[in-house]
Amino acid sequence: MVIDVYAFPGFIKEICQDPERVEFRRQQYFLYKQHVWPMELFIKQLNAAGIDKCIISAEDVTTRAGDTIVSNEEVRTLVDLQPERLIGFASVDPQRPDAVGVLEKAFKDLHLAGLKLSPAMQHFSPNDFSLMDSIYQICLKYNKPILFQSGMTWVKDSPSTYSRPVLFEDVAMRYPDLRVCLGHFGWPYIMETAMLLLKYPNVYADTALLYFDSPKQFFHTTFNVQMGEYWIDRMLADKVMFGSTYPRIEQKRMMGAVDVLNLRPKQKAMVLGGNALRFLGLEEKENG
Amino acid sequence: MVKHYQFSVLTDDEYSYHYIGDRVKEYVKESGVTSGIVTTVVAHTNCGIVVTEPLECIMDDFKVLLHKLVDNDAEYSHAHFLPTYGRTSANAYGHLRSFLTGNSCIFPIQNGNMVMGAAQEITLMEFDGPQERTVFVDVIGE
């Protein structure tokens, strides 16, 4: 089972009927020339990459930009078209007045599988508990994990002040039963991420990072040179999940880059999918 | 007279090929042109158009040749973030294979039909798929 935990679905044709909304997505998500293509092609791309399932996430930037980039309802629509291949994550802007209601609806009525939060894009600190306690408590109530954007994002007006990995330590400590993933491995603060992965059982990270070079070259530099080349295999193999950051890069290339890591077969299988099943709360269901 | 047509092909894999000659012949018929030429151009820079005999063994040999000439993992310059796209490029091998094949072909039209050699087929070559590829067909004549 191979699962991509970090993909953005905003340019799949079936939710792109409105050209103005597509252009809004291009500008807000800093994907200026991204083409719209049909679900059929997206599934072919998953197949070519050897990916069985893909988490697709909504993005809610209502208080900053006046709208969602992709709504929870649009994610539900796409998942319903490919329920065996897609796993839908909700988004909520924590600063919108109706945030609690929006999230309750996403879990209770839309049955989305988790929550995506982007502190840098949404301009909040994950350890601002006066704002975030209610959000985290709803995730615990419905047993849903949170996928955080962390570290750098290419999106404009999105400072990494809000998304440094060390900020999530307070969350991990305050909510030890809340499963959280630090997207992009928190790059460039990868040592902070490695520290949190080592210390907190409820903290995960993903491989959706590509900021220089080709995927293979960047994975080599990040995971084999800047980090110790056996760190993931020996200590973090149950905490790191495959993520692609599609469509900023093709999933097939990010899958190929995983081969650069020094992983034994069992550990590689965990990184490619086993850990994601546990993160999603599906491990027992899949095994049973 | 010039008649413009275009169609799309959803390719299936990283490297694949698709025979499109019948589609081009249909457009020639539809155009009503009885004497002239037809051009077929693919609108992308990491795929190509070749004219070849449609035999699996030839296509297999061509794949071997292209992969010998153009390595997937060389130290390419074209492997970096593109700020005007918001994406990272890492598909130099696709562009380079496209250089080798070219992106177009021309055939004559006589008596209302596209004229081809008995062994010839127009083939869309995918070097960086799966993708949605647009093909332009222009029928020019009288």
Side-chain angles (χ1 to χ4, degrees):
Chain A
M1 172 71 71
V2 176
I3 301 175
D4 177 358
V5 303
Y6 209 108
F8 177 72
F11 299 97
I12 297 175
K13 195 176 198 174
E14 282 76 357
I15 59 165
C16 289
Q17 295 88 350
D18 179 356
E20 284 186 18
R21 186 152 174 74
V22 173
E23 191 54 33
F24 178 77
R25 286 176 184 149
R26 288 194 180 109
Q27 295 301 318
Q28 288 296 322
Y29 216 66
F30 187 38
L31 276 161
Y32 300 137
K33 296 186 181 181
Q34 180 63 42
H35 295 292
V36 169
W37 49 53
M39 176 69 85
E40 181 185 0
L41 178 58
F42 181 52
I43 298 301
K44 284 175 181 275
Q45 291 170 336
L46 289 177
N47 293 342
I51 295 170
D52 299 299
K53 291 179 184 290
C54 182
I55 294 177
I56 56 170
S57 299
E59 289 283 358
D60 183 353
V61 289
T62 300
T63 58
R64 184 170 69 82
D67 203 349
T68 59
I69 303 176
V70 171
S71 71
N72 297 335
E73 287 77 10
E74 288 169 325
V75 166
R76 183 72 254 167
T77 296
L78 293 175
V79 172
D80 285 342
L81 291 172
Q82 289 288 337
E84 299 301 316
R85 305 299 297 273
L86 302 182
I87 298 165
F89 268 40
S91 174
V92 65
D93 183 339
Q95 306 198 64
R96 58 189 287 177
D98 58 348
V100 168
V102 169
L103 189 55
E104 283 267 5
K105 180 186 176 192
F107 290 156
K108 192 176 171 186
D109 299 335
L110 300 176
H111 305 291
L112 296 179
L115 174 63
K116 164 83 183 297
L117 289 172
S118 302
M121 285 177 67
Q122 295 172 321
H123 291 188
F124 74 90
S125 289
N127 60 352
D128 176 1
F129 293 113
S130 64
L131 179 71
M132 297 306 297
D133 268 340
S134 58
I135 301 292
Y136 297 147
Q137 285 163 8
I138 293 170
C139 291
L140 280 173
K141 175 182 167 185
Y142 288 92
N143 189 28
K144 303 291 187 183
I146 302 178
L147 173 58
F148 282 105
Q149 171 272 330
S150 70
M152 175 185 163
T153 170
W154 291 105
V155 177
K156 306 298 185 191
D157 191 24
S158 302
S160 55
T161 312
Y162 293 117
S163 55
R164 277 196 74 137
V166 73
L167 295 176
F168 297 93
E169 183 165 23
D170 292 337
V171 181
M173 292 171 66
R174 190 176 176 96
Y175 293 101
D177 294 325
L178 179 64
R179 300 183 302 281
V180 300
C181 173
L182 304 188
H184 317 305
F185 214 91
W187 192 94
Y189 314 107
I190 57 173
M191 292 304 175
E192 291 182 8
T193 301
M195 177 271 285
L196 294 172
L197 295 176
L198 270 180
K199 189 171 178 180
Y200 298 99
N202 55 327
V203 176
Y204 296 74
D206 67 50
T207 66
L209 66 161
L210 178 60
Y211 299 92
F212 292 98
D213 303 327
S214 69
K216 285 182 180 176
Q217 291 166 334
F218 191 66
F219 274 31
H220 174 70
T221 301
T222 303
F223 294 117
N224 295 343
V225 178
Q226 294 175 328
M227 285 173 50
E229 64 182 307
Y230 300 111
W231 289 10
I232 294 178
D233 182 81
R234 293 173 182 169
M235 288 297 292
L236 306 177
D238 59 343
K239 306 301 287 296
V240 177
M241 303 184 286
F242 171 71
S244 69
T245 198
Y246 172 96
R248 291 205 192 284
I249 186 72
E250 292 79 4
Q251 289 157 316
K252 63 186 178 183
R253 296 192 222 288
M254 296 299 270
M255 278 291 292
V258 174
D259 293 337
V260 169
L261 307 180
N262 279 303
L263 297 173
R264 288 167 288 169
K266 180 182 173 188
Q267 283 72 10
K268 185 174 182 181
M270 291 161 71
V271 168
L272 288 178
N275 297 335
L277 289 176
R278 194 170 67 256
F279 175 71
L280 289 162
L282 298 174
E283 189 175 48
E284 287 183 12
K285 198 182 292 182
E286 287 288 325
N287 291 340
Chain B
M1 175 167 62
V2 179
K3 289 279 183 108
H4 304 284
Y5 302 94
Q6 71 179 63
F7 63 96
S8 295
V9 177
L10 286 187
T11 61
D12 296 320
D13 213 338
E14 159 82 3
Y15 181 101
S16 60
Y17 56 87
H18 305 259
Y19 299 128
I20 59 173
D22 286 347
R23 195 80 181 260
V24 177
K25 287 176 186 169
E26 287 172 17
Y27 287 129
V28 169
K29 288 270 188 199
E30 188 180 325
S31 72
V33 170
T34 56
S35 179
I37 58 171
V38 56
T39 66
T40 304
V41 180
V42 67
H44 309 276
T45 58
N46 47 10
C47 56
I49 296 279
V50 297
V51 175
T52 186
E53 186 165 12
L55 295 174
E56 187 175 352
C57 52
I58 289 176
M59 301 312 294
D60 287 347
D61 289 342
F62 190 41
K63 181 177 182 179
V64 169
L65 173 67
L66 286 174
H67 285 73
K68 270 184 188 171
L69 294 172
V70 181
D71 187 359
N72 276 4
D73 291 321
E75 302 286 324
Y76 295 115
S77 301
H78 185 65
H80 60 87
F81 189 73
L82 296 168
T84 57
Y85 283 73
R87 287 171 44 87
T88 294
S89 66
N91 61 348
Y93 59 86
H95 290 289
L96 297 176
R97 288 172 189 150
S98 176
F99 288 170
L100 297 176
T101 60
N103 72 341
S104 64
C105 69
I106 300 175
F107 277 94
I109 299 168
Q110 295 175 2
N111 302 318
N113 294 309
M114 183 169 86
V115 181
M116 304 181 84
Q120 289 183 317
E121 171 63 282
I122 302 173
T123 308
L124 169 66
M125 302 297 303
E126 175 61 80
F127 301 133
D128 191 21
Q131 295 280 355
E132 184 171 25
R133 301 304 195 178
T134 300
V135 180
F136 300 127
V137 178
D138 286 283
V139 185
I140 304 162
E142 55 194 20

